[in-house]
Amino acid sequence: MDFKQLEAYVQVIEHGSFSKAAETIFVSQPSVSIYINSLEKELGTTLISRSTKDVFPTQAGRIFYENAKELLSVKSNAVLRIKSLSGNFAGSINISASSVPAQYILPEILAEFTDIYPDISFVVKQADTLEVSRSIASQVAEIGFSGGIVENSKCDFTEFMTERMVIIAAPDKGFTSSAEYTLDSLLHENRFISREKGSGTRTQYEAFFVEQNIDIKKINTCLCFDNTQSIINAVMGGLGISMVSELAASAFIKREMVIPLNIKTKLPERKFYYVLKKKFAHSHLVSLFVEFLTNKFCE
């Protein structure tokens, strides 16, 4: 068993295709088939089901996939550590992030980090909090960022920053920033624009509503979006009110395109987390990035 076989197997599983795997690792498709057949012969079991047009792992194949990913990570980490001895920090980090971190937090963080380490690049894919945890657990991404915690025995969630949440409304719909509103009246007497299920934002504000004895079923939810920007646009259009990240809404508040409402009940702070796989040999680049995050937000 060698690393080329492991790499071929991992790429077949992740792409669901022998031909795409071959393109990724720059070998012929027959070579990929030979690698996989050799692995199956050595292990004495079938790793990939070939009974249909789709390519997917068997039960043994799913277990081997996780081990293969970890072995490749150990190899990559060893190479990076040796290179780092000469100050050569280069490579790429795959990130899965929920909407607020992806759109409003990570751009500034990554800009600062790449000023220090210009040869390290990032691939950022946006997903909801649930998908972030799944991508980390399955090793599709190396580090995740989310606005909430979901139960996943394979993931560690570490808080790294907080921010306020705000309820916003369109300025031409009878609301003013000087008036004081009750949470109960706002949610029960106005249309509410919600985030989708699985969103960290929604999980946190619904938990807060329950703490405040708000009956969630009685909230007049008129729209549901899978990203914060669409919600802000809908609020600006006068479709309803919503509770969003203050960080996401700040530019629109400054330009008076939406107004933050003054609520008698103090609104909660929202926590943000970076997510790593438990008991996993993270690459040297990921460790370097986590160290940067810790230094930046724990000062």
Side-chain angles (χ1 to χ4, degrees):
M1 184 184 302
D2 60 38
F3 284 113
K4 202 67 178 177
Q5 291 173 315
L6 297 178
E7 188 177 9
Y9 177 71
V10 165
Q11 292 301 323
V12 168
I13 299 305
E14 293 186 350
H15 289 284
S17 165
F18 279 72
S19 60
K20 290 181 180 178
E23 292 174 8
T24 302
I25 62 176
F26 305 105
V27 300
S28 66
Q29 185 173 334
S31 294
V32 172
S33 297
I34 291 171
Y35 289 143
I36 304 303
N37 289 336
S38 298
L39 279 174
E40 292 179 327
K41 184 176 180 180
E42 182 175 348
L43 295 170
T45 188
T46 301
L47 298 174
I48 295 176
S49 174
R50 303 172 178 83
S51 59
T52 66
K53 292 182 179 179
D54 297 323
V55 175
F56 56 89
T58 61
Q59 182 177 2
R62 287 193 294 270
I63 295 171
F64 186 70
Y65 169 77
E66 291 197 11
N67 291 326
K69 284 280 286 188
E70 186 157 7
L71 287 169
L72 290 172
S73 178
V74 170
K75 175 202 171 187
S76 176
N77 197 23
V79 172
L80 289 170
R81 284 184 181 277
I82 296 301
K83 288 183 177 180
S84 70
L85 293 176
S86 60
N88 182 7
F89 294 99
S92 180
I93 299 175
N94 288 318
I95 295 177
S96 179
S98 58
S99 62
V100 172
Q103 296 176 35
Y104 305 102
I105 298 175
L106 281 176
E108 180 180 343
I109 291 174
L110 299 185
E112 290 183 22
F113 184 80
T114 52
D115 279 344
I116 304 171
Y117 303 103
D119 294 324
I120 299 177
S121 60
F122 296 86
V123 177
V124 181
K125 293 188 177 180
Q126 186 173 312
D128 64 28
T129 296
L130 183 60
E131 285 302 315
V132 168
S133 68
R134 288 173 176 169
S135 67
I136 296 301
S138 62
Q139 302 168 52
V140 172
E142 298 168 271
I143 183 169
F145 291 86
S146 70
I149 296 176
V150 296
E151 289 297 325
N152 192 313
S153 61
K154 295 183 178 181
C155 296
D156 274 324
F157 288 77
T158 302
E159 180 186 333
F160 72 98
M161 68 171 287
T162 61
E163 65 141 355
R164 288 181 55 206
M165 297 183 75
V166 292
I167 294 180
I168 57 172
D172 58 350
K173 293 297 178 179
F175 296 100
T176 66
S177 56
S178 58
E180 189 175 60
Y181 301 92
T182 66
L183 192 62
D184 185 89
S185 63
L186 278 177
L187 295 175
H188 290 157
E189 297 173 11
N190 297 279
R191 292 178 299 182
F192 187 77
I193 304 168
S194 173
R195 279 296 301 269
E196 83 287 2
K197 289 183 179 179
S199 156
T201 301
R202 177 167 173 167
T203 299
Q204 291 198 23
Y205 69 57
E206 285 191 345
F208 173 70
F209 293 163
V210 171
E211 288 176 3
Q212 300 301 316
N213 298 316
I214 300 294
D215 187 344
I216 294 176
K217 293 180 181 180
K218 292 183 179 180
I219 297 175
N220 182 19
T221 301
C222 62
L223 285 170
C224 183
F225 284 109
D226 64 357
N227 67 87
T228 302
Q229 188 58 60
S230 292
I231 289 177
I232 294 173
N233 289 342
V235 171
M236 287 192 295
L239 293 174
I241 64 171
S242 190
M243 190 168 182
V244 298
S245 153
E246 184 179 44
L247 185 62
S250 60
F252 300 91
I253 292 172
K254 287 179 182 177
R255 287 181 283 173
E256 299 183 347
M257 300 172 78
V258 298
I259 57 174
L261 301 182
N262 184 19
I263 314 299
K264 288 184 178 180
T265 306
K266 183 180 179 181
L267 298 181
E269 286 191 337
R270 186 181 180 191
K271 299 178 180 180
F272 290 99
Y273 306 84
Y274 64 80
V275 191
L276 294 170
K277 184 169 183 180
K278 291 181 179 178
K279 300 177 182 179
F280 185 75
H282 303 292
S283 77
H284 185 53
L285 297 185
V286 170
S287 298
L288 188 68
F289 187 43
V290 169
E291 181 182 354
F292 171 81
L293 289 172
T294 302
N295 292 335
K296 177 177 174 61
F297 292 100
C298 294
E299 293 177 351

